[in-house]
Amino acid sequence: MSNITQPRITHAAVVNGHHHLNFRKFELKAPLEYEVGVRIVACGICHTDLGFMTEGAVLGHEGAGIVEQVGSAVTRVKPGDHVVLSYQSCGKCSPCEEHHPYNCEHFSQLNFGFQRLDGSSAYPEGIDGHFFGQSAFADYCLVTEQNLVKVDPGLPLNLLAPLGCGLQTGAGTVLNTLNVQPGESLMVMGTGAVGLAAIMAAKIAGAKTIIAVDRDPARLALAVRLGATESINSDQENYLETLCPHLDYVIDTTGIRHLDELAQEVLKEGGTLVRLTGSAGETFTRGRKAISVIQGDSVAQDFIPKLVEYWQQGRFPIEQLITYYDFDDINRAVKDAHNGNVIKAVLIWE
Ligand SMILES: [Zn+2]
Ligand SMILES: [Zn+2]
């Protein structure tokens, strides 16, 4: 059967010169043979989006939607399938072949390079797309089989969209990278979406001590409802005294320097500090170390279905983290995400 793919007009939010997003309509080229055209119905806003607010960019990398058209080499999905989108990988380099796409040799080009693997773009001159292989702040975008996860059409895509980056990163760090075991102890610094996902995952893993650190009392209360066994407000003067040393792990989602130093203090001998902030790994005294983790070492096609299962069992209640906005309201959503007024903003399309 021949497979004719077509260009399609997309309605996208494009960053202008003033850290503001303007709506624009333009044509995306037809999907290449290995590409999939997806109508977006929901997209989370992640802090990485806020770091790439450059003029002409179409951001958005926690998309979810419905397949509209597929290139001739695509076998995993067909039009009408529901998909959750995640980070992009090439599928061909050694780490990809070894089933470690989070270590893809082309990770940076494919996720932050605003281009395809071959350097081309489906976007018109002056518009930068293909962000994380998605650019899902739009009602339609092109993805590949590497960054889509097919899900049951009965599942709520609005809810599943943010699994593709932030929630996968927090939960994956606990369940994949650290492989936390029953009875172990950890501290999570920062209770945004990534930190709260780590806390929910630590409870799933059976951790005995789960300490949440933040300066926002409402978020700390939520952290306790989601599984933290203790909460510490880092704004309180005497909070250092309440810290218990000898923890197995500390996960830092804040990148705040004095918290990082503190993390080293409370680790037990041989303990691990995970930096989810882009900072590099290093070795400290007494066998303690810091590591840097990408996407929670998650293979999206394996891990997202697992998270969906935990959600169905009531053990990963992500609805408690989400605030919804109409796509038209994207500027308000970005502002609220930036100011920390909401934990996880999710855009929805009618
Ligand atoms: Zn992200
Ligand atoms: Zn690769």
Side-chain angles (χ1 to χ4, degrees):
M1 191 181 78
S2 72
N3 193 330
I4 299 172
T5 57
Q6 293 177 335
R8 185 216 202 256
I9 301 285
T10 186
H11 182 218
V14 184
V15 181
N16 71 16
H18 305 92
H19 280 64
H20 194 81
L21 297 117
N22 290 344
F23 295 104
R24 286 177 62 177
K25 276 188 181 167
F26 50 83
E27 189 177 88
L28 276 195
K29 290 177 186 158
L32 299 180
E33 56 175 12
Y34 61 85
E35 285 181 326
V36 176
V38 176
R39 177 166 71 81
I40 298 296
V41 304
C43 186
I45 297 178
C46 171
H47 279 271
T48 306
D49 293 308
L50 307 179
F52 280 85
M53 296 280 280
T54 53
E55 189 167 3
V58 182
L59 304 170
H61 62 285
E62 291 182 345
I66 298 164
V67 173
E68 255 190 25
Q69 43 179 347
V70 299
S72 57
V74 171
T75 57
R76 212 183 285 164
V77 287
K78 59 180 190 313
D81 284 347
H82 288 209
V83 290
V84 171
L85 307 178
S86 189
Y87 66 93
Q88 187 61 292
S89 59
C90 80
K92 295 171 191 159
C93 68
S94 324
C96 279
E97 296 241 294
E98 286 154 19
H99 211 49
H100 301 140
Y102 38 86
N103 291 331
C104 175
E105 289 169 6
H106 306 282
F107 192 92
S108 156
Q109 178 195 344
L110 289 172
N111 291 281
F112 313 118
F114 295 100
Q115 57 186 282
R116 296 177 171 122
L117 187 61
D118 65 6
S120 70
S121 171
Y123 289 74
E125 190 71 33
I127 295 188
D128 292 326
H130 301 292
F131 186 60
F132 274 80
Q134 308 181 24
S135 287
F137 289 167
D139 69 356
Y140 173 82
C141 68
L142 297 177
V143 306
T144 72
E145 288 179 299
Q146 272 78 48
N147 70 330
L148 64 75
V149 181
K150 191 172 152 179
V151 296
D152 187 296
L155 292 166
L157 289 173
N158 291 353
L159 197 74
L160 303 191
L163 290 178
C165 181
L167 300 179
Q168 162 172 281
T169 297
T173 296
V174 169
L175 298 173
N176 302 327
T177 311
L178 298 174
N179 189 16
V180 170
Q181 295 299 306
E184 288 190 319
S185 57
L186 80 163
M187 180 159 85
V188 178
M189 291 171 153
T191 53
V194 176
L196 291 171
I199 287 168
M200 291 188 280
K203 187 180 178 189
I204 290 168
K208 184 164 167 248
T209 305
I210 307 170
I211 306 170
V213 181
D214 205 294
R215 53 196 300 185
D216 179 338
R219 289 202 182 185
L220 287 173
L222 176 59
V224 169
R225 287 203 298 280
L226 294 176
T229 58
E230 292 168 52
S231 69
I232 295 177
N233 190 320
S234 56
D235 259 357
Q236 266 155 25
E237 271 175 34
N238 59 347
Y239 86 99
L240 288 177
E241 293 158 26
T242 58
L243 286 174
C244 54
H246 314 303
L247 296 172
D248 293 297
Y249 315 106
V250 177
I251 298 173
D252 181 23
T253 70
T254 70
I256 298 169
R257 177 139 193 96
H258 78 268
L259 289 181
D260 191 274
E261 282 162 8
L262 199 67
Q264 299 168 34
E265 297 294 312
V266 298
L267 280 177
K268 70 169 195 186
E269 198 165 329
T272 304
L273 160 63
V274 182
R275 290 174 175 152
L276 295 180
T277 55
S279 304
E282 63 185 291
T283 308
F284 312 123
T285 53
R286 295 193 288 123
R288 296 164 306 159
K289 62 181 181 293
I291 58 171
S292 169
V293 176
I294 297 169
Q295 294 285 336
D297 292 331
S298 309
V299 178
Q301 290 80 11
D302 299 338
F303 195 56
I304 287 178
K306 228 184 252 181
L307 293 179
V308 169
E309 224 177 282
Y310 290 136
W311 172 74
Q312 286 171 320
Q313 297 163 356
R315 301 163 81 193
F316 199 66
I318 49 182
E319 60 278 4
Q320 297 194 36
L321 277 47
I322 295 176
T323 305
Y324 290 110
Y325 297 82
D326 284 336
F327 179 50
D328 292 345
D329 249 349
I330 188 169
N331 282 297
R332 189 166 63 91
V334 164
K335 198 170 150 209
D336 284 350
H338 179 75
N339 294 338
N341 295 341
V342 295
I343 295 170
K344 173 56 74 180
V346 173
L347 303 165
I348 46 174
W349 282 249
E350 295 307 334

